[in-house]
């Protein structure tokens, strides 16, 4: 089948260090290496390298790979991630489940998204560094969803989105619309459309409800108007 694909429709996105700020700050468990493949503007395959499994260089690295519609696999050290990070979020009183992953942005739109998500779905928000790391958290079922209002570029999303879809999860932009950032004709400021990623096993209706709640927010509508102006 792959032999029939027009090579001009294939794009490879590489991020040699997803989680640059986290790397500088020494939060190495958030850092990943991302290699994603998009065909005709859609993410279809990816590999996520996790060089610092426990936040150090003491152990062998792990690579998670996946192809949408075919499945996923792991090479290298056994993946031992769980509710993340365990020593912080295992506290079921301070961080009740379900967990919703976001970054530490103080932007108005993200504050509004966090508050609405907890009000509508319960649980608590937990901080993850790196776009790929947040999406992988949803793919692995560590969190029920991941929310981010902007990313650096398509290299942040292509690999983890492919793995998320291969595992049965779903991803759209912050407004519940199809991810367009891999396309040659992607809208301007497409990286500022962010993403919503929901975990495998969650019903389609959950992602739709999540997106509907985000879009209903005045702060999200204001943000959308700003980036589409």
């Amino acid at each position: 089948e792959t032999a029939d694909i027009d090579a001009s429709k294939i794009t490879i996105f590489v991020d040699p260090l997803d989680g640059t700020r986290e790397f500088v700050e020494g939060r190495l468990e958030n850092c990943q290496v991302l290699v994603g493949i998009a065909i005709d503007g859609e993410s279809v395959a990816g590999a996520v390298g996790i060089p610092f499994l426990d936040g150090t260089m003491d152990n062998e690295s792990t690579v998670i790979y996946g192809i949408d519609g075919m499945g996923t696999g792991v090479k290298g050290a056994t993946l031992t991630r769980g509710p993340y990070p365990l020593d912080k979020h295992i506290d079921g009183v301070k961080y009740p489940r379900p967990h919703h992953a976001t970054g530490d942005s103080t932007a108005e739109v993200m504050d509004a998204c966090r508050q609405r998500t907890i009000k509508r779905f319960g649980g608590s928000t937990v901080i993850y560094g790196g776009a790929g790391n947040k999406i992988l958290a949803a793919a692995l079922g560590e969190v029920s969803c991941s929310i981010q209002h902007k990313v650096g570029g398509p290299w942040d999303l292509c690999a983890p989105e492919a793995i998320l879809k291969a595992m049965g999860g779903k991803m759209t932009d912050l407004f519940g619309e199809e991810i367009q950032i891999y396309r040659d004709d992607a809208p301007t400021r497409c990286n500022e459309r962010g993403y919503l990623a929901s975990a495998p096993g969650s019903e389609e209706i959950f992602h739709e409800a999540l997106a509907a709640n985000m879009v209903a927010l005045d702060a999200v509508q204001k943000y959308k108007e700003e980036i589409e102006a």
Side-chain angles (χ1 to χ4, degrees), residues 7-25:
S8 66
K9 295 184 177 182
I10 301 174
T11 307
I12 300 175
F13 296 101
V14 178
D15 188 347
L17 180 57
D18 180 50
T20 308
R21 178 165 67 90
E22 289 75 13
F23 181 81
V24 172
E25 293 174 351

Side-chain angles (χ1 to χ4, degrees), residues 194-208:
Y195 63 82
L196 300 173
S198 54
S202 60
E203 298 293 334
E204 178 83 11
I205 193 172
F206 169 74
H207 193 95
E208 293 175 355

Side-chain angles (χ1 to χ4, degrees), residues 27-52:
R27 296 186 287 143
L28 301 182
E29 67 277 3
N30 294 279
C31 303
Q32 301 178 345
V33 179
L34 311 176
V35 180
I37 300 174
I39 298 177
D40 208 13
E42 182 178 351
S43 172
V44 297
V48 173
I50 306 175
F52 313 112

Side-chain angles (χ1 to χ4, degrees), residues 106-116 149 174-175 192 213-227:
T106 58
E108 177 187 6
V109 64
M110 283 306 301
D111 284 341
C113 288
R114 293 187 193 99
Q115 293 173 22
R116 175 57 67 89
H149 71 302
L174 181 63
F175 315 116
E192 295 179 77
N213 273 267
M214 299 302 100
V215 172
L217 292 168
D218 290 341
V220 171
Q221 285 300 318
K222 176 184 175 182
Y223 177 70
K224 186 177 183 182
E225 291 171 3
E226 289 174 354
I227 66 174

Side-chain angles (χ1 to χ4, degrees), residues 158-209:
C158 191
E161 184 192 1
I163 292 172
L164 174 73
K165 294 192 296 184
M167 289 183 170
K170 183 175 177 63
M171 190 163 125
T172 62
D173 67 19
L174 181 63
F175 315 116
E177 299 171 9
E178 179 183 349
I179 298 289
Q180 304 176 64
I181 199 168
Y182 317 120
R183 292 170 22 187
D184 292 336
D185 61 347
T188 57
R189 300 180 68 175
C190 201
N191 64 306
E192 295 179 77
R193 299 182 70 85
Y195 63 82
L196 300 173
S198 54
S202 60
E203 298 293 334
E204 178 83 11
I205 193 172
F206 169 74
H207 193 95
E208 293 175 355

